[in-house]
Amino acid sequence: MNNLFQHIYWVIGLLFFQIFILDVIDLGTYSSYFTPLIFSYVIFKRKLETTVTELLIFAFVVGFLVDVFRNTIGLNISVLLFITFLRTRFLNLISAREDFDDNIELNLFNIGIVRYLFYYGVVLFFHHALFYLVEQFSFVHLFPLFSKALFNSIFALAILILFEFIFISKK
């Protein structure tokens, strides 16, 4: 039960940070290059023992909450459900499933810096690219789309590393 409350705190905290801090930052014409989406972290840090069905339900709830507060009407739900469904494929990029204990969360201190950067870097880039692609609903401007996805993924990764050093205890 403690684990459930911990995930609820993470969802509320990341949602609050996303809505009231990151979404409010205005850099003029460069604002589109600084809109990192960090809320997918709560889904991808879950323990390996979490079933796909539980993850999809959790992703739906998180996506719904984000859509309500960001007024994006289903955009975040669809993107989060799709990348959550592909979670095991993202995990296979960093290592075989047998290399990790099923009871650990996938954070910086449990999987190591190189695996963390690769795993969350790929996940965040894919999340941002898919988000902007669905939002734009066109293949016309792919280079700006992928450059926005790259910059925002780097910013999101830096923010998540900072959060992990602040809020997650080293074991």
Side-chain angles (χ1 to χ4, degrees):
M1 196 62 155
N2 187 21
N3 197 16
L4 176 66
F5 288 124
Q6 184 181 18
H7 288 296
I8 291 172
Y9 291 142
W10 269 103
V11 169
I12 292 170
L14 287 178
L15 188 63
F16 179 83
F17 191 76
Q18 180 76 48
I19 303 296
F20 296 111
I21 296 174
L22 292 178
D23 289 349
V24 176
I25 295 174
D26 185 19
L27 300 176
T29 58
Y30 301 106
S31 286
S32 66
Y33 288 94
F34 187 77
T35 54
L37 305 170
I38 59 172
F39 48 84
S40 64
Y41 173 73
V42 295
I43 295 162
F44 286 96
K45 79 180 214 75
R46 299 286 304 252
K47 295 179 180 180
L48 293 177
E49 68 184 7
T50 309
T51 65
V52 175
T53 306
E54 291 172 348
L55 278 176
L56 288 172
I57 291 169
F58 190 61
F60 181 83
V61 170
V62 171
F64 178 76
L65 289 173
V66 172
D67 279 336
V68 165
F69 287 108
R70 294 186 84 206
N71 196 22
T72 50
I73 310 173
L75 178 63
N76 290 296
I77 291 174
S78 60
V79 171
L80 279 179
L81 286 175
F82 186 71
I83 64 171
T84 301
F85 185 72
L86 297 176
R87 180 183 185 228
T88 55
R89 284 157 184 83
F90 291 134
L91 284 170
N92 289 337
L93 290 175
I94 60 170
S95 171
R97 183 179 170 97
E98 295 80 28
D99 291 346
F100 298 116
D101 183 20
D102 285 347
N103 293 328
I104 65 165
E105 286 188 345
L106 298 172
N107 62 37
L108 179 66
F109 307 110
N110 290 337
I111 65 173
I113 186 74
V114 174
R115 286 180 175 170
Y116 180 87
L117 290 174
F118 190 70
Y119 174 62
Y120 283 105
V122 169
V123 165
L124 288 171
F125 177 76
F126 193 78
H127 178 218
H128 283 89
L130 189 61
F131 178 84
Y132 294 130
L133 188 63
V134 172
E135 180 184 48
Q136 178 176 300
F137 205 65
S138 171
F139 291 105
V140 175
H141 303 288
L142 279 181
F143 181 72
L145 181 137
F146 286 126
S147 62
K148 281 192 327 187
L150 180 65
F151 288 128
N152 285 317
S153 299
I154 292 170
F155 289 135
L157 193 59
I159 290 168
L160 292 178
I161 289 172
L162 180 67
F163 279 171
E164 290 217 2
F165 276 111
I166 292 172
F167 297 114
I168 296 179
S169 63
K170 301 170 194 120
K171 295 180 182 178

